[in-house]
Amino acid sequence: MNRITGPARLPSTLGRLTLAGALLLGPLAGAQTTPAAPPRPAPVTTPAAATLRLNAPVGTSLQLALVTESRVAFGTPEVTAAPGKQVTPAALKAAQAQYAKLGREGVPAQRTTAKMFVKVAGRAADGTTTLITSMVQSVPGLSRSMTMRITQKIAPNGQLSGLSLDSDDPQVNRVLAGMNAGQMADLIRDSGGDLSGAYGLPLQAGAGQQKSVTIDLKGLFQGMFSMLGPEAARALGGVQATPVTTTTTTRYAGLNAQGLHVFNVASQSGGFRMSLGGQGDLPLMVMELGGMGSAGTVSYRADGLPGPMTQQTTVRMAMTMQEDNALVKIPMTVTTTLTAQTR
């Protein structure tokens, strides 16, 4: 039986696409409330709380330095015979010991860096602002770094429109070109950029909102695989995946010592299951997500442009892979810490 040196990998294009999630400090669709006209004579009223708005002058830009650190902790592996295959108890026991040793050895912590650029590109007469967010990051398997850009329009009340995503990588752009607006938004959410933000939310301690989004992962993956060409579509088109729902809560915490508006952001995702292969020459791979949670803070300048942020995400999952005549299931917990600092 071959030794596993790492989880089975999807095509490199999909790995590149997952970078989109880190590009976005995007807005929640928040509604700014207009008070009703008071009866006459008008009573004394409390002014409505100000909301976070993106009002930086057109042409304003900033740079953020991102550092991502990931650690993986392995649980006790399970080794069983693959359906329709026969494996002796002694072979199963030996394989169990082999993968248990691999889990104890672990993998080194991963640390990556990237540069994020944010620019106010335009503003319409109604105050809707065009924001372009770009990230430059090295990609495993590529000899050069790759740039991805998100363009979005943000109304004064925080409503998002005009979302587009593009890259300087032609292969990634070919995939993106075949996606509609809904599929592109799902891709960004699935990559970890849930369009979560604070534009349009009241700048009042404790104020905020909760938003839940359900993503059709099966449709998303099948759509991407079909755009990779006939060969990839035939090999990967049999993906099965259950929907996943993510709930994000954003609350205003106040001003920090630097005068930045700080929001606490927490997200929870339910479990889902994705399977691929198991027929023909493609070995079976199953990913089961037991749950995912993240918590952190994001900050914004008085003009609405983003400032430093921190986020820690914990994912409980299990990977099942077919190795020869055996199925190897490896539980793991992945902890990722993201920090962004202005340059």
Side-chain angles (χ1 to χ4, degrees), residues 178-216:
M179 291 186 175
N180 58 37
Q183 289 172 326
M184 190 171 292
D186 280 350
L187 172 63
I188 294 171
R189 295 188 191 107
D190 183 48
S191 303
D194 180 57
L195 301 186
S196 299
Y199 297 116
L201 297 186
L203 298 176
Q204 189 173 41
Q209 69 178 12
Q210 188 176 82
K211 181 180 181 182
S212 294
V213 177
T214 299
I215 303 171
D216 175 17

Side-chain angles (χ1 to χ4, degrees), residues 59-291:
T60 306
S61 61
L62 60 82
Q63 178 182 343
L64 294 169
L66 278 68
V67 177
T68 303
E69 295 180 326
S70 298
R71 299 179 183 276
V72 182
F74 293 100
T76 303
E78 301 176 13
V79 182
T80 58
K85 305 294 183 180
Q86 292 186 350
V87 184
T88 65
L92 290 176
K93 184 177 180 180
Q96 177 84 23
Q98 174 187 342
Y99 293 117
K101 182 176 182 236
L102 176 63
R104 289 192 299 270
E105 292 174 352
V107 295
Q110 301 292 317
R111 186 178 188 272
T112 60
T113 60
K115 296 179 182 179
M116 180 186 290
F117 301 89
V118 182
K119 181 178 181 179
V120 179
R123 182 167 288 116
D126 65 355
T128 297
T129 302
T130 300
L131 191 69
I132 298 177
T133 308
S134 306
M135 187 173 72
V136 181
Q137 181 173 347
S138 59
V139 183
L142 291 183
S143 58
R144 59 177 180 83
S145 58
M146 183 179 71
T147 300
M148 296 195 71
R149 291 170 296 273
I150 287 180
T151 302
Q152 52 191 320
K153 296 181 179 180
I154 303 164
N157 68 352
Q159 186 68 45
L160 175 70
S161 63
L163 176 68
S164 65
L165 174 65
D166 68 280
S167 169
D168 62 353
D169 185 293
Q171 188 179 10
V172 173
N173 267 341
R174 282 195 295 271
V175 175
L176 295 174
M179 291 186 175
N180 58 37
Q183 289 172 326
M184 190 171 292
D186 280 350
L187 172 63
I188 294 171
R189 295 188 191 107
D190 183 48
S191 303
D194 180 57
L195 301 186
S196 299
Y199 297 116
L201 297 186
L203 298 176
Q204 189 173 41
Q209 69 178 12
Q210 188 176 82
K211 181 180 181 182
S212 294
V213 177
T214 299
I215 303 171
D216 175 17
L217 292 179
K218 179 179 179 180
L220 176 63
F221 283 125
Q222 287 181 333
M224 288 192 295
F225 294 159
S226 67
M227 299 168 197
L228 297 178
E231 184 177 349
R234 285 193 299 270
L236 305 173
V239 62
Q240 298 293 322
T242 58
V244 61
T245 298
T246 300
T247 300
T248 301
T249 303
T250 306
R251 300 287 180 196
Y252 182 60
L255 291 172
N256 64 11
Q258 290 73 42
L260 300 175
H261 296 291
V262 178
F263 291 81
N264 294 324
V265 181
S267 296
Q268 293 288 333
S269 297
F272 76 89
R273 185 179 191 273
M274 184 195 78
S275 61
L276 182 67
Q279 298 179 351
D281 296 330
L282 190 64
L284 177 67
M285 183 187 76
V286 178
M287 182 175 70
E288 298 171 282
L289 181 70

